[in-house]
């Protein structure tokens, strides 16, 4: 249950779909916690119709099907 599983816990990278998925509402959290890097936004995401992991899998699957065909 961690957002860093796709990066093997070596970076703070987030999926684009996490913030831009269908129905997602992004809210900036201010002030950001002391541990948050200065060049990153600290946000909460709510209201998504699908969790971003499912969209990532569908997106990757579509790319594989298009590459094979």
């Amino acid at each position: 249950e961690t957002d860093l599983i796709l990066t093997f816990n070596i970076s703070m990278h987030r999926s684009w779909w996490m913030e831009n998925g269908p129905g997602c509402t992004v809210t900036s959290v201010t002030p950001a916690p002391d541990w948050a890097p200065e060049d990153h936004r600290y946000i909460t995401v709510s209201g998504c119709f699908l969790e971003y992991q499912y969209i990532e899998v569908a997106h990757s699957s579509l790319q594989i099907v298009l590459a094979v065909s």
Side-chain angles (χ1 to χ4, degrees):
E1 292 295 323
T2 177
D3 291 334
L4 298 175
I5 195 163
L6 296 177
T7 60
F8 302 106
N9 293 330
I10 58 174
S11 77
M12 294 282 293
H13 174 74
R14 286 193 298 242
S15 168
W16 184 85
W17 290 108
M18 183 178 186
E19 298 179 35
N20 299 291
C24 293
T25 304
V26 177
T27 307
S28 293
V29 175
T30 52
D34 294 335
W35 55 265
E38 291 181 21
D39 60 341
H40 286 77
R41 301 187 304 152
Y42 193 68
I43 61 169
T44 60
V45 180
S46 62
C48 299
F49 295 127
L50 287 173
E51 291 186 33
Y52 73 94
Q53 296 94 330
Y54 298 125
I55 298 172
E56 289 278 353
V57 169
H59 185 216
S60 298
S61 300
L62 177 63
Q63 288 178 338
I64 291 169
V65 167
L66 291 175
V68 170
S69 61

